């Protein structure tokens, strides 16, 4: 199969948003010729591009667990793509692959860095799920609960950013384990979605509340305290949850999205050492890439839950690579309704 176009639209990082929100001019739309694949490479056409909060960190030069995107380089991102040309043994035109080829319509990639998708294993589940519930965000929910949260039947679990790509899965897994699940999110319709459609037990809108008001709202729904806190956001929500810990609580530090625009600067707030001590609580940072070895187990379990209707998943899909910057800015501001994706090609 030949490429259907000779030009490749792509977004380059044009400026680093340091100490401020991302703006559209931080990205530059560039039109380049489609690259020919070299030896042991494949040329892919992007079908879906995943937009994820971690990309905000890669736009910054601050030290992190991964190298920043260089100025002038293609914005990083995971995609589901279709091979249009292969010069790599074992890969053929028409194969579907997962690759970290970024915000662009076409990419020549070394075959050793792409993963071929076995479509028969996916069955009738959508390909886009490989970037969401069956991919990195789903794995985050699954492994963070399995290795740190360890929710047991009858326990109370608080999930922040509960309607998002990670949060909606984390809450449903906790429900499957027999827990009472409380959600925080920043919009009434998001809370209606997780309580009415996904079966979470209670929802709290964090917007406009200081830590004390939010702590009181959590306490009203969790009078015996929180056994597990799955924190995707940090900041005020984190403080409010820390005021509500049950004995031997487990706190998953999964994300700190409230502080991503201040990356590299200290996140100043209350010290919770005493609360951790008194409650003999465990607080641990989580990184999904530490769990690659158990990925097949996760995919099999999650696909089974999806087919059984025990896990449901909402996606927020925009069309065309040109839509990526605005959709990404919307994701950071809470405009997304579920897992944020760009459908780059049909
Ligand atoms: N550690 C890991 O391995 C790992 C892996 C994947 C994701 N993560 C982290 O998990 C978190 C969720 O990621 P996701 O992909 O599932 O994104 P998401 O929840 O689908 O989207 C991000 C959400 O964050 C919320 N948000 C934005 N600014 C906020 C603020 N100042 N305070 C509170 N909430 C805010 C918004 O929802 P509201 O309407 O509720 O404000 C927004 O919709 C992120 O922090 C991400 O970095 C970590």
């Amino acid at each position: 199969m030949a490429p259907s176009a000779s030009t490749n639209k792509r977004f380059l990082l044009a400026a680093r948003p340091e100490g401020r929100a991302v703006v559209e001019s931080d990205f530059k739309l560039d039109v380049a010729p489609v690259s020919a694949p070299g030896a042991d490479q494949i040329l892919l056409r992007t079908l879906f591009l995943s937009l994820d909060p971690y990309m905000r960190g890669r736009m910054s030069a601050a030290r992190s667990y991964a190298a920043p995107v260089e100025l002038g380089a293609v914005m990083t991102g995971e995609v589901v793509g279709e091979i249009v040309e292969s010069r790599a043994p074992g890969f053929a035109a028409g194969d579907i692959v997962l690759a970290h080829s970024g915000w662009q319509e076409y990419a020549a990639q070394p075959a050793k860095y792409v993963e071929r998708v076995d479509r028969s294993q996916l069955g009738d589940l959508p390909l886009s799920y490989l970037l969401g519930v069956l991919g990195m965000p789903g794995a985050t929910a699954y492994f963070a609960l399995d290795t740190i949260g360890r929710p047991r039947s009858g326990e109370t679990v608080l999930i922040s950013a509960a309607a998002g790509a990670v949060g909606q899965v984390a809450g449903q897994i906790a429900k499957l384990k027999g827990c009472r699940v409380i959600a925080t999110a920043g919009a009434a319709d998001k809370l209606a979605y997780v309580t009415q459609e996904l079966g979470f037990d209670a929802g709290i809108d964090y917007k406009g509340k200081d830590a004390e008001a939010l702590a009181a709202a959590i306490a009203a729904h969790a009078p015996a305290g929180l056994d597990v806190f799955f924190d995707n956001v940090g900041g005020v929500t984190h403080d409010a949850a820390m005021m509500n810990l049950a004995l031997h609580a487990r706190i998953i530090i999964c994300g700190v999205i409230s502080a991503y625009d201040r990356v590299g600067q200290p996140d100043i707030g209350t010290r919770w050492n005493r609360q951790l001590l008194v409650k003999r609580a465990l607080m641990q940072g989580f990184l999904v890439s530490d769990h690659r070895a158990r990925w097949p187990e996760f995919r099999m379990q999650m696909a089974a839950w999806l087919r059984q209707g025990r896990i449901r998943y909402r996606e927020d899909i925009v069309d065309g690579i040109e839509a990526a910057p605005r959709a990404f800015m919307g994701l950071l501001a809470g405009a997304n309704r579920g897992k944020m994706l760009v459908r780059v090609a049909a």
Side-chain angles (χ1 to χ4, degrees):
M1 194 188 304
S4 56
S6 57
T7 56
N8 176 27
K9 278 190 214 144
R10 54 192 199 159
F11 277 101
L12 312 178
L13 181 63
R16 296 199 188 282
E18 304 291 6
R20 61 163 171 85
V22 176
V23 293
E24 221 167 334
S25 58
D26 292 331
F27 308 98
K28 180 175 182 284
L29 180 62
D30 181 63
V31 182
V34 173
S35 307
D40 297 317
Q41 291 196 341
I42 57 103
L43 175 67
L44 67 79
R45 183 171 67 123
T46 306
L47 302 178
F48 289 98
L49 164 67
S50 181
L51 294 178
D52 298 278
Y54 76 82
M55 294 167 174
R56 175 66 184 82
R58 304 284 169 87
M59 295 175 78
S60 163
R63 277 174 67 96
S64 181
Y65 55 84
V69 177
E70 295 297 330
L71 283 174
V74 175
M75 268 298 293
T76 190
E78 192 176 16
V79 313
V80 171
E82 181 183 17
I83 296 183
V84 289
E85 190 182 340
S86 172
R87 291 193 56 204
F91 291 81
D95 285 354
I96 299 294
V97 290
L98 280 163
H100 291 268
S101 49
W103 297 24
Q104 55 184 337
E105 293 178 310
Y106 292 91
Q109 296 278 292
K112 64 181 175 187
Y113 295 139
V114 308
E115 178 192 337
R116 199 185 22 225
V117 173
D118 180 351
R119 288 191 86 155
S120 65
Q121 279 185 7
L122 204 57
D124 54 7
L125 297 172
L127 275 180
S128 54
Y129 276 17
L130 292 166
L131 299 172
V133 62
L134 289 172
M136 188 277 283
T140 299
Y142 181 88
F143 291 118
L145 283 175
D146 188 60
T147 61
I148 303 175
R150 292 176 279 103
R152 292 183 288 266
S153 183
E155 289 191 328
T156 300
V157 178
L158 178 73
I159 317 267
S160 59
V166 174
Q168 58 176 318
V169 185
Q172 290 181 84
I173 295 174
K175 285 306 296 175
L176 287 175
K177 304 280 178 195
C179 298
R180 179 176 164 70
V181 176
I182 304 169
T184 62
D189 67 289
K190 291 187 180 186
L191 294 166
Y193 167 66
V194 297
T195 54
Q196 291 165 25
E197 293 190 39
L198 302 184
F200 295 13
D201 299 279
I204 302 168
D205 191 337
Y206 72 87
K207 286 215 169 129
K209 293 188 178 69
D210 62 15
E212 282 69 30
L214 194 49
I218 294 169
H221 291 295
L226 302 170
D227 300 290
V228 179
F229 173 34
F230 195 121
D231 194 7
N232 288 311
V233 308
V236 167
T237 305
H238 180 84
D239 288 344
M242 295 301 287
M243 294 179 209
N244 278 288
L245 299 183
L247 200 60
H248 302 302
R250 285 85 67 197
I251 301 133
I252 303 162
I253 303 298
C254 177
V256 201
I257 196 165
S258 67
Y260 287 172
D261 285 343
R262 287 174 279 125
V263 71
Q265 300 165 24
D267 190 13
I268 296 166
T270 309
R271 292 197 180 98
W272 293 109
N273 309 33
R274 182 178 162 75
Q275 191 73 347
L276 289 169
L277 180 135
V278 170
K279 299 296 182 179
R280 279 87 94 201
L282 171 78
M283 176 151 68
Q284 192 176 333
F286 173 84
L287 196 60
V288 64
S289 50
D290 291 343
H291 300 274
R292 282 308 307 191
R294 288 179 60 199
W295 210 265
E297 164 208 319
F298 146 72
R299 273 227 188 108
M300 205 173 294
Q301 175 63 82
M302 194 61 74
W305 280 336
L306 287 163
R307 287 203 187 91
Q308 293 157 5
R310 301 176 82 193
I311 296 263
R312 298 167 62 189
Y313 202 60
R314 183 155 82 159
E315 302 176 309
D316 191 339
I317 303 180
V318 295
D319 280 295
I321 192 76
E322 292 89 345
R326 273 176 186 274
F328 179 61
M329 287 154 50
L331 169 75
L332 296 174
N336 60 310
R337 297 295 185 266
K339 167 68 195 144
M340 192 75 240
L341 295 159
V342 183
R343 189 189 289 110
V344 178

